[in-house]
Amino acid sequence: MTITKDTVKKISKLSRIASNEKFEENMIKDLNAILKFVDQLNEVKIENIEPLASTVEQELIKRDDEVKKMNEKKDILINSPEENDDFYVVPKVIE
Amino acid sequence: MSEKEFDYYLKGEKGEYEVVIGLEVHAQVLSDAKLFSSSATKFGSEPNSQVSLVDAAMPGMLPVINKFCVEQAVKTGLGLNAKINTFSKFDRKNYFYADLPQGYQISQFKHPIVGEGKVILDMPYGTKEVGIERLHLEQDAGKSIHDQDPKNSFVDLNRSGIALMEIVSKPDLRSPGEVGEYIKKLRSIMRYLNTCDGNMEQGSLRADVNVSVRKKGSKEFGTRCEIKNVNSIKFMQQAIDYEARRQIELIEEGNEVDQETRLFDTKKQETRSMRSKEDAHDYRYFPDPDLLPLRLEDSYIEDLKKGLPELPDHKKQRLISEFKLSNYEASVIISDQAVSTYYEEVAKNSDYKLASTWLMGELFATLNKEGKDITESPVSAVNLAKMINLIKDGTISGKIAKTVFEEMIKNDVDPSKIVEDKGLKQTSDPKEIENIVDKVLETNQDKVEQYKSGKDKLFGFFVGQVMKEMKGKGNPQMINDILKNKLK
Amino acid sequence: MTEIYQLTLYDLIEKIKSKEISCEEATKSYVDRAKKSQKLNCFIEETFDQALDKAKNQSGKIDTSKKLFGAPFAVKDLFCTKGIQTTASSKMLEGFKPEYESTVTSKLWDEGANLLGKLNCDEYAMGSSNETSYFGNVINPYRNDKDLVPGGSSGGSASAVAAHLTSATVGTDTGGSIRQPASFTGTVGLKPTYGRCSRWGIVAFASSLDQAGPMTKDVRDASLLMEVISGHDNKDSTSAQIKQEVFSQKLTKDIKGLKIGIPKEYKIDGMSKEIIDLWDKGIEIVKSSGCEIKEISLPHTKYALPAYYIIAPAEASSNLARYDGVRYGFRAEGKDLIEMYENTRSLGFGDEVKRRILIGTYVLSSGYYDAYYLKAQKVRRLIKNDFDQAFKSVDTILTPTTPSAAFAIGENVDDPISMYLNDVLTVPVNLAGLPAISIPAGYDQNNLPLGLQLIGKSFDEQTVLNNAYAIEQSINFKPNFKDWWM
Ligand SMILES: [Mg+2]
Ligand SMILES: [Zn+2]
C-alpha cells in the first residue's frame, strides 16, 4: 500500500495536526519509506497466530469503590493555558 | 381483554412505512468512585471539583479499574438475561473533543463484558421481546458548555471517567411507544438491581437512537441515522417520529438517506446533521495497553446470580398469583421496586385488593399532587395497612376512610387514633340505624311514594339522607339492608 | 587522585555513610562539573541550588538505612517531578510543572537521593540519537573529529552518567532507549522486565513497551539502583505483582554452569568486524567463567523492527492525543476548537513525533488495522515464542547492543529508516517484555565505546546482572575520553 497526498490529508485530519503542501510532501516520502520497511512483515506466516498485545501474564489489578481525594481543583487547573471560574476554556465548539 | 393491533406505520405518498429502531442506552453505573479513578461521582458538584489527575489525563497517569463497577455491569447483564463473558477487554476509542481529556475513551469494542440477552415489554397488543446485543463498560466524557460566551466553550470534567454501561439493543423496536416501554423496562430492571438510578434529568440514562425506515412488509433494513445523546423518553419519541418522517420524505423524493450522526434540537423538535462528527467513524479502536484483559471466574458470576433481588418480570407473575392482582395492577405496581415493596407490606398486613385500590387511587393521587415518590410517602405502609383493616372490620366506612386518610397525610399516625380523636367510628348498631331510617322515610313520604311507583333511582337519595343524618358514620351495608327491607 | 564525581554510586554512598565524604561535598562536586559541562547540553532543567540546600540538610543527619543517601541524581525528563518542569523534551510541555511525582523517582527520593535536574532526551522518547529534542541535541563525551550523538532516547542521561554529571540516573527504554545510548557512551544500562518498574508518572510513549531502568557507571550500581526503583505499584495495572528483590546483595560474578545462548540471527548483514570480535571476546570470557555456550536461533528477529514500527507508533498516536492545548502545555490560537487543536499539535510537536503519530494513526485506521496493526501483534507473538523456546535451553542470551558505534550529529537525521536500524538488536527484547542489559565491552578503531547485550528470562534480572558483572570484571573497561568540552 502507498500513502498518497489524500491519505496524508486524511490522517493529519484524524490526528488533528495542521497540514500544508510542504508538510504533505515530506510526509509522503517518509511515511512511504516506513511502510515499505514494515511491509517486510508480509513474508511472515501469521495464520492461526494469536495477536499479542501485552507480555504481562497476570490478573487485571482492581481497585475498591472508594472515593479518595488525591488532588485539589487547583492541581488540575494550575497548568491550563486558559481558565475561567474553574472551567477550562477552549475556542468555541461547533457541533 | 381486547387486544389492540400494532399500528405505528407512517404513511407516505407511495405507501406505508415501518420504522426500525435500535437503541444504544448509556446508563451511569451507581458507584461512589469513577471507573478508572478514585474521584467522586456526585451530581451537581462545583465545576472541576471531582477531577483526579487521571480524569484530567495528566501526562503519565494510568487507569486502575473499579471492581464494584465490574460487579454492577455483571449484575445488570444477569438482569437482562444475558450471557456474561468470562473474558473481556478494554479498548481505546480514539477521537478528539474538548471534554474528552485523553483524546480517547476507554470502552469495550471486540470483547464486551456482557453478550446477548433480552427484555420483555408489555404492549397493549401483547408482549414483545427486544433483543439485547451487548452491554459494555466505558468511561463518560466531561461536559462542554457552549452558550455562555460568544467566542469560547467551557469545559467541566466532573463527569469525565464516570462508569457507564452501554446497553445496545438489536434493531427490534418498531415505534416510539415501544421505545418508551423499553427504556422504562431497562430503568426498572436497573433500579431493582441498584445498578443505575435511571435519573434522566441528571443524565444518568440517555440514549443514542438509531432510526431507519422501510416499506411495510419489506425485510431489508434501510440506511440508518444515529441521533446522539437524547436524554428523555419524550424527546426520543419526538426525535424518532421526526427522523422517520424526514427519511420517508427523502426516499419518496428519490433521494438517499445518508448514514450520519444527527442531533435532536429539543426547541425546534427536529434532528440535524452534526458537523463535528464528520470523521468520527474512524475511531481506530485498539486494545488499551494500560490495562489487561478482564477475566471473571464462573463462581464469581454464580455468586452474583444468587445474590440478585427478585426482578420485575418475576415479581409481576408472583403478585398476580399470590395477590390475585390483574395484569394491569401488577404492571403498575412492579414498574417501581419501591412501590412494589410498599404494596407488599400493605397487602400482607391487610387486604390484597383494598391495598391495590388505595395505593393506586388515593396514595398515587397524593404523591402526584405533592410531587413525591413512594419512598417519601407521607403515609407509611404500616398505617395504611391498619387503616384498611379498619375498613375491613367495619370500624369505618370507605367514605370515612377518605377523611381518615386525609388526616394521615397531615400526620402519619395510627389511624385508629384518628378515628378515636375525631369520633369517626362507624355506627353499626341496627337499632340506631333503623331509627334514623324511619325518620328519613317519615319526612320524605312523597319520595317514598315515587319510589314505590317505580322510581328506583331514589334509593340512593335515601341512603344519602340517612348517611347525612349519621354524619357519614353509618355502616353503609347495614343502611342498605335496612332501607331495602323498609321500602319493600 | 580520584575525584568525587568519578566514584561509582555504590562507593560514593559508602563514603557518605562512613562520613569520609559529606553530602554537601558530593553534591557540590557534581554541580560544579555539571556547570562546566553546558556544552554537552545534558540538562533541560537544573535544580542545583535546591540540591545543594538539601545536601546541606542531609549532611548532619546521615541515615544509613537509606540506600541512596546523599546521592546527587539527575533523571530523564520523561519522569514527572512534582513542582519541577517536566517536558519530555517537547515544546508541547515547555513550562509544565506536574503536581505529582512519578513512582520511580519518588522511590529515589525516599531512599535519600537528591535531585540535580532533568535530563535531555529525544522528544517524547522518540529517537535514537537525541536529535529530536526541542531543547537541542545532546553531545557524547566521546568524540573523534566531530561531535557525536549520545544515542537515544535517553541520550542526556547516558552522556550525563558517562561525563560524571550525575552519580547515576534512570532512563526509559521502549525499543532500546536505555541500552543503545549506554552502548554509545561506555556506560551500563538495564531495561528491566516489562512490569518490574511502575510506569505511573512517566510520560507515555508506547505503553505496552515502555519500561524505566537504571543507567549507571557499572553493573553493581545498576543492581543497587534496580532494587530501589522496582516493585509492585497498584497505580499501574500492568505492574507485576511479585516480591521486591535485593539484587545488589545477591550480585555475584560466579556464573559457573550458566548456559548462554548465541543467536545466529543477531549477526546481521554489514555488522563490523570489530563488533563481531568484541562479541567473540565476550563469548570467550563467559566460557572461561565456566559457562556453556549454545548456538540458538531466534528466527523472527528480522521482523522485530518492522513490527515495532507499527506497534509503537500506534500506541503513541493514541497516547499523545491528550496533548491538545486544553488542560496544560502549549496552546496555539485557532478560530474554533478544531483549528486550535490542529495548530497546537502542528506547532507543539516536532517532525519525528508527527511522523510517528501519522503512521500510528494510519495503521490503526479503518481498512488498515488488520494489514498492519493486527499483523504486527501476531509477529510480536512469534518473537516472544522464539525467546520462550530459546530459554528452554539457555539462561541468558549474549549479543552486541548496537550494530555500530556512536555516529556524528546530523548523519542520520534525513533518513528515518537508517535511524531506526540503530535499534535492530534492542527492539526484540521490548516486544517480548524481557530484561536486558548493555555493558561496555571495549572500543572500536576510533576509540568509541561498544556495548554487549545480555538478555534474560522474564523477571530474572538477577542472572542478567550476575552474568554482566562477570563479563565486566573480566573486561575491566576504563573510560578514555578527555574533558575536551571544559
Ligand atoms: Mg453510539
Ligand atoms: Zn458509548
Side-chain angles (χ1 to χ4, degrees):
Chain A
M1 275 164 264
T2 47
I3 289 190
T4 62
K5 192 168 195 164
D6 279 347
T7 322
V8 175
K9 280 196 166 122
K10 191 191 129 201
I11 55 180
S12 305
K13 190 83 206 160
L14 271 177
S15 320
R16 294 287 186 266
I17 291 174
S19 168
N20 59 39
E21 280 290 320
K22 191 169 169 286
F23 178 75
E24 283 155 20
E25 259 168 48
N26 288 338
M27 286 298 155
I28 290 170
K29 182 170 71 74
D30 293 346
L31 300 187
N32 276 318
I34 296 169
L35 276 196
K36 192 173 157 238
F37 177 67
V38 303
D39 275 342
Q40 288 180 73
L41 295 188
N42 294 333
E43 300 164 11
V44 189
K45 284 203 178 62
I46 51 160
E47 292 79 45
N48 303 318
I49 304 294
E50 267 298 294
L52 178 68
S54 168
T55 56
V56 182
E57 288 162 359
Q58 65 183 25
E59 287 305 301
L60 178 60
I61 294 166
K62 301 182 194 76
R63 183 170 50 78
D64 287 332
D65 184 32
E66 274 170 17
V67 174
K68 283 186 207 144
K69 205 159 169 98
M70 311 234 276
N71 59 289
E72 294 302 318
K73 188 151 77 173
K74 70 158 185 37
D75 294 350
I76 66 134
L77 290 165
I78 195 167
N79 281 293
S80 74
E82 208 179 333
E83 63 176 274
N84 173 300
D85 279 345
D86 303 341
F87 287 101
Y88 292 108
V89 179
V90 297
K92 194 90 177 169
V93 177
I94 302 158
E95 279 197 307
Chain B
M1 202 165 62
S2 68
E3 290 213 343
K4 282 175 61 188
E5 291 260 322
F6 175 83
D7 64 356
Y8 189 77
Y9 296 105
L10 297 180
K11 284 195 183 58
E13 304 273 303
K14 300 172 183 165
E16 284 196 304
Y17 291 82
E18 181 182 42
V19 185
V20 176
I21 308 151
L23 251 51
E24 295 161 26
V25 169
H26 284 102
Q28 180 177 328
V29 173
L30 264 181
S31 64
D32 290 337
K34 294 182 178 179
L35 182 55
F36 293 113
S37 83
S38 300
S39 307
T41 57
K42 269 205 238 63
F43 178 80
S45 302
E46 268 178 70
N48 288 313
S49 64
Q50 293 177 174
V51 185
S52 72
L53 301 167
V54 176
D55 308 321
M58 289 292 173
M61 292 300 97
L62 299 171
V64 180
I65 198 164
N66 180 335
K67 69 165 96 125
F68 183 63
C69 295
V70 172
E71 188 178 315
Q72 293 285 65
V74 172
K75 278 195 201 158
T76 306
L78 292 169
L80 299 174
N81 302 300
K83 179 175 181 294
I84 308 301
N85 292 323
T86 51
F87 175 90
S88 69
K89 255 182 171 158
F90 289 94
D91 297 289
R92 292 186 183 177
K93 178 180 181 179
N94 295 283
Y95 65 97
F96 286 88
Y97 201 71
D99 53 25
L100 188 73
Q102 296 168 128
Y104 56 83
Q105 177 195 36
I106 306 178
S107 180
Q108 295 186 301
F109 183 53
K110 275 206 188 111
H111 301 278
I113 185 163
V114 175
E116 292 190 331
K118 59 169 190 271
V119 296
I120 309 289
L121 308 183
D122 252 322
M123 300 308 295
Y125 37 86
T127 56
K128 154 117 194 179
E129 187 178 307
V130 179
I132 300 293
E133 179 73 40
R134 58 187 280 162
L135 175 155
H136 65 251
L137 275 168
E138 63 183 25
Q139 301 175 296
D140 203 351
K143 200 172 78 188
S144 303
I145 301 160
H146 307 305
D147 52 6
Q148 302 270 306
D149 181 302
K151 280 207 178 106
N152 297 305
S153 294
F154 298 111
V155 181
D156 169 16
L157 297 180
N158 279 350
R159 293 192 78 102
S160 162
I162 286 180
L164 300 177
M165 295 178 282
E166 180 171 331
I167 304 167
V168 182
S169 82
K170 305 216 164 177
D172 286 349
L173 296 155
R174 292 292 176 271
S175 71
E178 289 183 358
V179 166
E181 287 309 308
Y182 172 72
I183 295 284
K184 284 185 205 154
K185 190 59 179 274
L186 282 187
R187 184 170 59 186
S188 151
I189 292 169
M190 292 189 290
R191 282 179 173 168
Y192 269 67
L193 293 166
N194 219 12
T195 56
C196 170
D197 67 18
N199 191 329
M200 298 187 84
E201 297 87 71
Q202 295 182 0
S204 315
L205 195 66
R206 40 201 217 266
D208 298 340
V209 186
N210 289 286
V211 181
S212 66
V213 297
R214 63 183 173 194
K215 275 272 175 68
K216 187 177 171 181
S218 162
K219 288 277 163 269
E220 257 149 63
F221 289 116
T223 307
R224 66 189 162 86
C225 288
E226 181 181 3
I227 311 160
K228 278 269 170 213
N229 226 8
V230 192
N231 62 3
S232 90
I233 292 177
K234 201 175 93 201
F235 291 154
M236 284 176 210
Q237 294 176 327
Q238 289 169 345
I240 291 164
D241 199 68
Y242 176 89
E243 179 59 20
R245 289 176 199 278
R246 185 187 74 86
Q247 292 180 15
I248 291 169
E249 207 172 301
L250 278 172
I251 292 166
E252 299 221 315
E253 284 165 359
N255 295 317
E256 293 214 336
V257 176
D258 285 335
Q259 183 169 346
E260 60 176 357
T261 306
R262 300 179 69 85
L263 203 69
F264 183 61
D265 185 325
T266 55
K267 287 194 194 95
K268 294 186 188 151
Q269 295 203 6
E270 58 185 39
T271 64
R272 62 180 157 83
S273 190
M274 267 180 100
R275 276 224 286 144
S276 59
K277 295 278 174 181
E278 270 167 13
D279 55 5
H281 28 84
D282 205 341
Y283 288 126
R284 290 156 285 137
Y285 283 100
F286 75 106
D288 190 329
D290 287 333
L291 293 161
L292 301 172
L294 177 62
R295 286 171 218 274
L296 305 176
E297 299 284 335
D298 289 327
S299 60
Y300 165 87
I301 298 166
E302 258 335 287
D303 287 349
L304 287 179
K305 204 178 215 165
K306 276 184 213 139
L308 287 188
E310 185 182 27
L311 290 171
D313 286 342
H314 187 270
K315 188 169 232 169
K316 183 176 156 189
Q317 289 316 315
R318 186 171 59 79
L319 291 188
I320 291 172
S321 65
E322 196 172 320
F323 297 121
K324 309 288 174 281
L325 295 181
S326 71
N327 188 57
Y328 172 74
E329 285 173 310
S331 300
V332 173
I333 288 171
I334 57 102
S335 68
D336 181 336
Q337 189 186 29
V339 169
S340 67
T341 308
Y342 187 100
Y343 168 75
E344 283 202 75
E345 194 178 340
V346 178
K348 277 186 183 141
N349 294 304
S350 59
D351 177 276
Y352 308 160
K353 207 73 204 170
L354 283 173
S356 149
T357 310
W358 277 87
L359 175 69
M360 291 171 61
E362 299 299 312
L363 186 62
F364 276 9
T366 304
L367 293 176
N368 238 332
K369 204 169 74 198
E370 300 189 5
K372 287 180 173 163
D373 76 38
I374 193 89
T375 59
E376 310 158 308
S377 169
V379 177
S380 66
V382 182
N383 286 333
L384 182 58
K386 282 183 182 162
M387 193 202 80
I388 289 170
N389 286 332
L390 292 177
I391 301 173
K392 250 173 65 181
D393 68 15
T395 310
I396 55 173
S397 66
K399 190 145 179 233
I400 291 291
K402 290 197 179 167
T403 313
V404 175
F405 189 77
E406 292 297 322
E407 285 303 313
M408 288 164 74
I409 292 169
K410 284 180 238 158
N411 198 0
D412 189 21
V413 294
D414 188 331
S416 50
K417 188 169 179 298
I418 296 172
V419 171
E420 192 77 18
D421 290 355
K422 302 244 164 187
L424 296 173
K425 197 165 174 205
Q426 178 166 271
T427 303
S428 300
D429 177 357
K431 259 263 92 67
E432 198 184 331
I433 295 173
E434 198 174 339
N435 283 339
I436 290 166
V437 168
D438 285 345
K439 209 172 115 194
V440 167
L441 296 182
E442 184 79 33
T443 46
N444 292 290
Q445 283 293 344
D446 48 339
K447 298 230 167 48
V448 173
E449 287 309 313
Q450 289 171 23
Y451 177 83
K452 286 189 169 163
S453 59
K455 211 169 174 190
D456 291 356
K457 275 189 194 157
L458 278 168
F459 189 79
F461 167 79
F462 299 124
V463 175
Q465 288 298 309
V466 174
M467 217 29 137
K468 201 171 151 195
E469 283 291 314
M470 297 187 75
K471 297 196 172 66
K473 289 180 281 182
N475 181 324
Q477 196 54 50
M478 288 177 88
I479 294 173
N480 264 341
D481 293 349
I482 292 169
L483 261 174
K484 264 197 191 126
N485 224 352
K486 296 265 172 182
L487 287 166
K488 240 189 243 164
Chain C
M1 73 155 256
T2 314
E3 299 287 340
I4 292 175
Y5 59 72
Q6 286 174 316
L7 295 169
T8 64
L9 172 68
Y10 200 93
D11 290 342
L12 176 68
I13 294 163
E14 293 263 279
K15 288 188 195 298
I16 287 173
K17 287 183 181 171
S18 65
K19 298 186 181 160
E20 211 175 303
I21 295 173
S22 76
C23 291
E24 245 183 308
E25 283 172 305
T27 301
K28 199 167 174 308
S29 169
Y30 277 100
V31 168
D32 287 347
R33 190 165 164 86
K35 280 182 175 167
K36 285 187 269 180
S37 303
Q38 304 289 344
K39 184 158 196 308
L40 300 181
N41 198 26
C42 289
F43 284 82
I44 289 176
E45 177 86 3
E46 295 167 345
T47 55
F48 298 159
D49 292 341
Q50 281 161 262
L52 288 165
D53 283 348
K54 192 178 164 197
K56 195 181 278 173
N57 254 321
Q58 282 179 319
S59 281
K61 327 176 186 87
I62 290 168
D63 185 344
T64 52
S65 72
K66 299 209 179 232
K67 292 181 175 175
L68 301 178
F69 192 80
F73 219 101
V75 299
K76 186 178 186 179
D77 203 20
L78 216 60
F79 293 89
C80 289
T81 41
K82 189 171 180 178
I84 308 281
Q85 180 183 234
T86 300
T87 70
S89 290
S90 181
K91 176 186 170 79
M92 196 57 108
L93 282 174
E94 195 174 12
F96 172 65
K97 288 183 184 172
E99 289 299 308
Y100 49 96
E101 184 78 32
S102 83
T103 300
V104 161
T105 50
S106 62
K107 282 169 182 277
L108 299 176
W109 321 139
D110 285 351
E111 290 293 345
N114 203 337
L115 178 68
L116 274 182
K118 305 296 289 291
L119 297 170
N120 207 340
C121 57
D122 279 299
E123 186 180 3
Y124 284 101
M126 296 178 193
S128 307
S129 65
N130 218 114
E131 291 167 293
T132 71
S133 169
Y134 173 66
F135 300 97
N137 59 271
V138 172
I139 295 171
N140 195 326
Y142 287 92
R143 73 192 309 245
N144 38 32
D145 47 343
K146 290 184 206 134
D147 282 349
L148 304 180
V149 302
S153 67
S154 310
S157 301
S159 267
V161 172
H164 308 298
L165 314 185
T166 178
S167 61
T169 186
V170 285
T172 61
D173 190 318
T174 305
S177 283
I178 285 176
R179 291 158 289 155
Q180 183 254 18
S183 172
F184 277 16
T185 55
T187 54
V188 172
L190 171 62
K191 183 205 92 82
T193 311
Y194 183 86
R196 178 69 97 168
C197 299
S198 170
R199 293 185 296 114
W200 195 87
I202 303 173
V203 176
F205 161 18
S207 313
S208 80
L209 303 163
D210 294 346
Q211 190 57 201
M215 299 176 76
T216 55
K217 296 178 187 183
D218 69 6
V219 174
R220 190 171 53 168
D221 283 0
S223 67
L224 173 65
L225 198 45
M226 188 61 214
E227 72 191 40
V228 170
I229 63 172
S230 58
H232 175 66
D233 181 7
N234 57 20
K235 290 188 290 197
D236 175 358
S237 302
T238 61
S239 164
Q241 285 172 299
I242 54 165
K243 71 171 195 350
Q244 195 89 28
E245 300 203 46
V246 278
F247 300 105
S248 69
Q249 285 173 34
K250 292 190 192 156
L251 191 68
T252 169
K253 58 182 174 182
D254 177 12
I255 54 168
K256 212 167 134 205
L258 218 57
K259 295 191 195 76
I260 299 175
I262 308 297
K264 57 173 191 262
E265 292 81 4
Y266 276 60
K267 198 169 277 181
I268 55 171
D269 289 345
M271 189 177 260
S272 75
K273 180 160 183 312
E274 291 163 305
I275 289 183
I276 292 170
D277 287 348
L278 272 181
W279 193 2
D280 288 340
K281 189 170 113 194
I283 294 171
E284 285 315 311
I285 290 171
V286 291
K287 262 190 200 160
S288 61
S289 306
C291 298
E292 186 186 332
I293 294 293
K294 287 192 166 182
E295 171 147 327
I296 57 164
S297 174
L298 300 167
H300 296 90
T301 299
K302 179 182 167 197
Y303 303 108
L305 202 56
Y308 174 85
Y309 274 95
I310 291 171
I311 292 167
E315 292 183 12
S317 71
S318 176
N319 281 336
L320 270 61
R322 65 187 57 199
Y323 305 102
D324 59 6
V326 176
R327 298 163 315 284
Y328 44 81
F330 173 72
R331 175 190 288 193
E333 296 294 311
K335 67 172 180 335
D336 61 21
L337 180 72
I338 293 180
E339 207 184 278
M340 185 279 275
Y341 282 157
E342 292 180 344
N343 293 340
T344 297
R345 292 167 59 79
S346 171
L347 297 168
F349 292 137
D351 285 345
E352 180 60 23
V353 172
K354 284 189 264 191
R355 256 196 293 273
R356 297 208 196 181
I357 291 175
L358 291 193
I359 204 82
T361 301
Y362 181 75
V363 298
L364 289 176
S365 66
S366 75
Y368 302 100
Y369 182 91
D370 288 2
Y372 290 106
Y373 183 74
L374 197 65
K375 188 179 287 168
Q377 282 205 330
K378 290 181 176 183
V379 172
R380 184 176 185 184
R381 167 82 62 191
L382 293 171
I383 287 159
K384 181 166 185 295
N385 289 350
D386 284 355
F387 280 110
D388 288 348
Q389 188 60 35
F391 279 123
K392 282 180 188 162
S393 61
V394 300
D395 301 301
T396 60
I397 294 170
L398 178 67
T399 78
T401 310
T402 56
S404 74
F407 45 87
I409 287 166
E411 197 176 306
N412 282 325
V413 280
D414 292 331
D415 182 358
I417 301 297
S418 69
M419 188 65 92
Y420 295 173
L421 285 169
N422 267 290
D423 297 329
V424 67
L425 305 177
T426 47
V427 150
V429 163
N430 297 77
L431 292 173
L434 302 171
I437 196 168
S438 175
I439 54 167
Y443 292 99
D444 71 359
Q445 56 186 354
N446 299 317
N447 262 319
L448 298 180
L450 290 167
L452 282 178
Q453 173 175 243
L454 278 158
I455 305 166
K457 297 176 184 170
S458 264
F459 299 107
D460 193 13
E461 282 84 353
Q462 189 70 61
T463 304
V464 171
L465 285 162
N466 292 349
N467 199 343
Y469 191 45
I471 299 177
E472 178 189 58
Q473 296 296 307
S474 174
I475 286 180
N476 196 21
F477 177 89
K478 290 270 181 284
N480 72 352
F481 59 83
K482 309 255 164 19
D483 292 348
W484 55 267
W485 60 89
M486 288 199 202

